[in-house]
Amino acid sequence: MEKTIRRYDLDWLRVIVFTLLIFYHVGMFFVPWGWHIKNNVIYDWLRWPMLFLNQWRLPILFVISGMGTYYALSKRTIWQFLWERNSRLGIPLLFGMLVIVPPQVYFERLATNAFSGSYWKYFITVAHSGIYPEGNFSWHHLWFLPYLLIFSILLSPVFIYLKRNTTLLVDWIKKLLQKPLRLYLFCIPLYLLEALMEPFFDVTHALVDDWFNLCFSIVLFFYGFLLISIGDVFWKSLELLKKKALIAGCICFSGQVVIWLFFEDGYVVHFTEALLKVVNIWSWILVLFAFSAQYLNRSSKSLAYANRAVYPFYILHQTITICIAYYLMDLDWGFIPKATVLVVGTFGVSWLLYGFILRVPILHPLFGLKKSSLSKEKYI
């Protein structure tokens, strides 16, 4: 097996993005968009930072996961890789759907008067009957795991081939990125998907009918593997491009805001907004990679702890947020007190449960935990 050098900046970036996910889900309690449970007062101004975060927070995770797959395949055969993916993604997913997610649906049913009674009564009667939203069985925020598992299975033969052979594709990308601005050519497939496919398929996270999200996300996953494959060429291009990417991201998001506020939908508006959206997404992905590479590519004890904790935190956090939110939703506390309680409560309870999980080895596979060595932890 080839020797690889670990990118600690990718670990830090993964931790940061998953941390932002907790803040994002707290924000979902307060914004106008539909969510599992809503506050008694909606804060319209909050949608602007939420819209900014929403566009690139999941795309960058798929890119990071593609990069992590490159490292994972450096140390195992395709069958070892697929076994590891199934155990690390499939087991937590099944456990989460059976145990972690049901309290979310229970409190949602209570809030909408669709169920009354104790959680125990709900759990032993209807918790696992029917498929959400008509029924109660769901993966909710864990949808990222089955998508990642399917992408890993589908693309693993291609990835193995790319790693074991000097391909025209990898060589062409290396030559292409001798001019850093050409990194924006990666926007072309994303733009075609956004412009031509997105209008016909809502993002459902339900897998079977989520065609646009599936295609868009698997392209980003493939990009992650491809870009990490070309080594220093990618990181040098990022260093030269980061300021321009930052400017492009600011301009494109500002352009989207102008369209949302002042323009009616139409063909010209749609194709323009699609271009602004994909350039915005890709720009912020490049910016985050570039500045993380500059400032965060170093190991530490804090990183070792956070990198191991992030997966259990991801599995646990939304259930904790919704459980707390149910008891806050009708209180007249205002935004800051409620948001503070939700953020502190979600992180605090997640941390307490994670400490308990660490002390019970039988629980480790259920939360995707492996040995504590940072060098052996993989990106989900």
Side-chain angles (χ1 to χ4, degrees):
M1 298 292 180
E2 65 181 279
K3 183 178 180 181
T4 58
I5 300 174
R6 189 170 187 90
R7 299 277 323 187
Y8 295 106
D9 51 333
L10 297 182
D11 291 316
W12 274 118
L13 194 52
R14 171 176 172 263
V15 169
I16 291 168
V17 174
F18 271 113
T19 301
L20 288 174
L21 181 62
I22 295 179
F23 285 95
Y24 182 83
H25 283 155
V26 168
M28 286 296 291
F29 181 56
F30 298 100
V31 291
W33 319 320
W35 199 52
H36 310 294
I37 194 169
K38 302 300 294 186
N39 188 41
N40 58 353
V41 177
I42 298 302
Y43 299 90
D44 190 67
W45 61 267
L46 189 59
R47 66 190 175 115
W48 300 112
M50 293 282 286
L51 282 167
F52 170 72
L53 183 60
N54 183 55
Q55 291 206 341
W56 52 260
R57 64 184 180 88
L58 288 170
I60 196 172
L61 283 177
F62 280 111
V63 177
I64 292 171
S65 296
M67 291 177 168
T69 300
Y70 176 87
Y71 290 112
L73 284 170
S74 300
K75 300 178 181 179
R76 49 178 60 83
T77 66
I78 186 171
W79 301 112
Q80 291 172 328
F81 169 74
L82 292 176
W83 175 261
E84 188 266 350
R85 291 287 84 183
N86 273 284
S87 61
R88 189 140 193 259
L89 297 172
I91 293 174
L93 174 63
L94 181 59
F95 174 73
M97 293 175 69
L98 293 173
V99 177
I100 303 298
V101 171
Q104 299 182 38
V105 185
Y106 169 68
F107 282 110
E108 180 182 346
R109 300 304 186 222
L110 288 184
T112 58
N113 297 314
F115 184 86
S116 61
S118 68
Y119 178 70
W120 177 247
K121 178 183 176 183
Y122 170 80
F123 188 79
I124 63 174
T125 54
V126 298
H128 303 114
S129 64
I131 303 300
Y132 185 89
E134 291 77 15
N136 300 296
F137 194 55
S138 174
W139 49 45
H140 270 41
H141 68 295
L142 301 179
W143 69 268
F144 182 76
L145 302 183
Y147 282 57
L148 194 55
L149 179 59
I150 289 172
F151 296 167
S152 298
I153 293 171
L154 290 177
L155 291 181
S156 56
V158 178
F159 289 163
I160 288 289
Y161 178 81
L162 290 174
K163 283 188 67 65
R164 293 180 178 176
N165 299 274
T166 301
T167 64
L168 292 176
L169 176 61
V170 173
D171 290 341
W172 179 72
I173 295 295
K174 287 182 178 180
K175 292 179 181 178
L176 186 74
L177 296 188
Q178 295 301 317
K179 294 186 177 180
L181 198 59
R182 291 175 179 172
L183 269 170
Y184 277 94
L185 293 176
F186 285 82
C187 289
I188 294 174
L190 299 176
Y191 176 68
L192 294 175
L193 290 170
E194 181 70 33
L196 303 177
M197 193 175 185
E198 186 273 340
F200 303 101
F201 297 97
D202 293 332
V203 176
T204 66
H205 300 153
L207 190 64
V208 292
D209 59 355
D210 200 20
W211 290 108
F212 164 71
N213 189 30
L214 275 167
C215 294
F216 200 86
S217 299
I218 199 171
V219 169
L220 291 164
F221 183 71
F222 178 74
Y223 281 177
F225 186 95
L226 189 61
L227 290 172
I228 206 71
S229 300
I230 64 176
D232 288 342
V233 174
F234 172 58
W235 302 107
K236 291 177 181 177
S237 297
L238 279 180
E239 175 62 26
L240 296 172
L241 189 63
K242 62 185 179 184
K243 293 181 180 179
K244 293 179 181 177
L246 179 59
I247 294 170
C250 293
I251 292 173
C252 288
F253 184 72
S254 299
Q256 286 182 278
V257 172
V258 170
I259 287 176
W260 295 333
L261 289 175
F262 301 110
F263 289 85
E264 297 291 333
D265 195 17
Y267 288 110
V268 174
V269 170
H270 167 71
F271 285 102
T272 302
E273 184 184 358
L275 179 61
L276 291 172
K277 181 179 178 180
V278 297
V279 175
N280 177 65
I281 290 171
W282 193 239
S283 294
W284 289 107
I285 288 173
L286 297 180
V287 166
L288 289 166
F289 278 132
F291 283 96
S292 296
Q294 182 177 356
Y295 296 109
L296 299 178
N297 193 16
R298 58 183 64 87
S299 181
S300 72
K301 291 183 179 180
S302 297
L303 175 60
Y305 181 88
N307 193 50
R308 194 166 191 235
V310 69
Y311 196 3
F313 269 59
Y314 161 68
I315 293 170
L316 292 166
H317 82 276
Q318 184 165 288
T319 295
I320 298 167
T321 299
I322 288 177
C323 290
I324 298 172
Y326 177 77
Y327 294 101
L328 296 178
M329 59 187 295
D330 292 323
L331 299 179
D332 296 325
W333 280 14
F335 171 73
I336 292 178
K338 286 187 177 182
T340 301
V341 170
L342 281 172
V343 170
V344 174
T346 300
F347 278 101
V349 176
S350 296
W351 181 74
L352 289 173
L353 290 175
Y354 174 63
F356 173 75
I357 292 164
L358 285 180
R359 289 166 173 77
V360 185
I362 196 173
L363 296 178
H364 290 190
L366 304 179
F367 292 90
L369 287 174
K370 295 234 176 181
K371 295 180 180 180
S372 60
S373 171
L374 180 61
S375 63
K376 295 182 180 179
E377 280 294 303
K378 309 299 185 293
Y379 311 90
I380 66 170

